[in-house]
């Protein structure tokens, strides 16, 4: 074998190794559009699109299954398991959730799947969503995806990821040991706009609008930038962090960023959020 042939063979082997490993699951909670484009052919990959249905109909990643986040909020564990199996999710699946980019919808679907017990080591958010996917020239389909083979995932709820009204009350009354994060726009936080019959924010809550977590290209800010933002707001890793919003959807933005990107260990999402707070018969205050 000539030296030239050996070199060519070695180069070919190196390219095969790179191709085989290029689509291996990453170690963090985000995947890039470039990674996903290489991984689309993997049989264990499941792509779920949390974009509003009219937007998803205008173009989705080929094979991506549309998920209505607002429909999931009323699902119990058995119903959620049935949905996940219908989406083709099994214990061995790699699941990537996406949205239009710069949105809390993908993070909320990530939360729902993690709460149902899907392993976070195999669960990812597409960084930048469809905006980034289109920017790299990823293929887009307007055809409805074919029904995937039925999965066999067995749901096991993780209640520790969710905060209750009691938890929110404790956080409101103990700002030293807790950080109660309001993910709504500042107009809602300060009372210029409102969802319900009263305006304002939960007492001692800290304003961190979900939109502040993203770059101009709709990708997430870096972990270092997010930790710097949290430090500026006085939010510390040793605190118990609870995120909320109006109805428990936008709160997933800071929840995902603080827990999974900044790496704070004690982060929960208050699913009931302000809707549950204002409906409480005790007439809980808003500031």
């Amino acid at each position: 074998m000539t030296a030239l042939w050996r070199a060519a063979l070695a180069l070919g082997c190196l390219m095969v190794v790179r191709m085989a490993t290029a689509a291996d699951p990453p170690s963090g909670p985000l995947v890039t559009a470039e990674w996903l484009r290489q991984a689309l052919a993997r049989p264990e990959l499941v792509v779920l699109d949390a974009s509003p249905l009219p937007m998803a109909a205008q173009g989705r990643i080929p094979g991506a299954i549309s998920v209505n986040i607002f429909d999931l909020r009323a699902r119990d564990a058995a119903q959620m398991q049935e949905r996940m199996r219908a989406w083709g999710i099994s214990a061995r699946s790699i699941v990537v959730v996406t949205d239009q980019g710069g949105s809390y919808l993908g993070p909320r679907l990530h939360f729902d799947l993690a709460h149902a017990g899907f392993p976070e080591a195999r669960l990812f958010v597409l960084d930048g969503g469809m905006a980034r996917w289109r920017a790299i020239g990823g293929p887009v389909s307007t055809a409805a995806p074919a029904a995937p083979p039925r999965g066999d995932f067995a749901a096991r709820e993780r209640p520790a990821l969710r905060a209750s009204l009691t938890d929110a009350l404790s956080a409101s009354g103990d700002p030293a040991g807790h950080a109660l994060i309001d993910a709504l726009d500042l107009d809602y936080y300060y009372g210029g706009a409102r969802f319900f019959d009263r305006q304002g924010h939960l007492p001692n809550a800290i304003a961190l609008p979900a939109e502040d977590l993203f770059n101009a290209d709709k990708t997430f800010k870096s972990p270092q930038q997010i930790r710097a933002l949290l430090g500026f707001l006085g939010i510390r890793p040793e605190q118990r962090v609870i995120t909320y919003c109006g109805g428990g959807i936008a709160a997933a933005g800071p929840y995902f960023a603080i827990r999974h990107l900044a790496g704070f260990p004690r982060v929960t999402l208050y699913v009931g959020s302000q809707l549950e707070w204002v409906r409480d018969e005790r007439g809980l205050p808003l500031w």
Side-chain angles (χ1 to χ4, degrees):
M1 182 181 293
T2 66
L4 180 60
W5 174 251
R6 284 196 297 269
L9 181 61
L11 179 60
C13 291
L14 179 59
M15 291 178 65
V16 169
V17 170
R18 285 180 175 173
M19 290 175 65
T21 59
D24 286 348
S27 58
L30 296 173
V31 296
T32 65
E34 292 84 354
W35 178 91
L36 183 57
R37 184 164 58 181
Q38 292 186 7
L40 276 183
R42 295 183 66 147
E44 70 272 34
L45 180 71
V46 177
V47 180
L48 303 178
D49 192 338
S51 302
L53 297 182
M55 291 185 177
Q58 294 174 11
R60 59 169 61 86
I61 295 168
I65 299 169
S66 292
V67 176
N68 183 354
I69 287 294
F70 299 93
D71 182 51
L72 294 183
R73 299 176 72 245
R75 302 283 165 176
D76 60 25
Q79 292 171 325
M80 187 65 183
Q81 175 178 279
E82 175 60 25
R83 283 296 182 91
M84 293 172 71
R85 290 181 176 184
W87 296 333
I89 297 178
S90 299
R92 60 190 176 276
S93 296
I94 297 172
V95 180
V96 175
V97 300
T98 187
D99 49 32
Q100 292 298 302
S103 169
Y104 42 74
L105 295 177
R108 176 55 203 252
L109 181 52
H110 183 284
F111 169 83
D112 287 324
L113 297 173
H115 182 258
F118 192 80
E120 291 177 340
R122 301 176 69 83
L123 177 60
F124 307 96
V125 171
L126 175 60
D127 197 15
M130 287 301 297
R132 180 62 186 158
W133 181 258
R134 293 177 186 273
I136 69 161
V140 175
S141 173
T142 56
R150 185 174 174 80
D152 60 7
F153 177 72
R156 298 178 182 84
E157 279 196 345
R158 299 173 62 194
L161 298 183
R162 294 181 59 159
S164 66
L165 174 59
T166 300
D167 296 327
L169 284 164
S170 297
S172 178
D174 177 27
H178 296 73
L180 188 58
I181 308 298
D182 188 318
L184 294 173
D185 293 341
L186 294 181
D187 281 349
Y188 290 98
Y189 180 85
Y190 288 111
R194 63 184 181 184
F195 285 119
F196 312 114
D197 61 343
R198 289 183 289 148
Q199 61 260 51
H201 57 271
L202 275 58
N204 286 315
I206 301 168
L208 177 52
E211 63 184 17
D212 288 355
L213 302 167
F214 297 97
N215 297 307
D217 65 355
K218 299 189 177 182
T219 59
F220 274 98
K221 291 181 178 177
S222 70
Q224 295 80 8
Q225 290 173 310
I226 293 170
R227 284 192 286 267
L229 174 60
L230 298 176
F232 175 78
L233 295 173
I235 303 168
R236 307 185 308 278
E238 65 271 18
Q239 290 177 305
R240 180 176 181 187
V241 179
I242 297 176
T243 68
Y244 80 92
C245 56
I249 304 294
Y255 167 87
F256 180 85
I258 299 171
R259 176 182 173 87
H260 294 290
L261 301 182
F264 282 28
R266 304 171 63 201
V267 186
T268 53
L269 194 156
Y270 177 26
V271 174
S273 281
Q274 198 177 90
L275 177 61
E276 183 180 40
W277 184 277
V278 300
R279 287 179 172 178
D280 189 86
E281 62 184 9
R282 291 166 290 184
L284 299 175
L286 293 176
W287 284 2

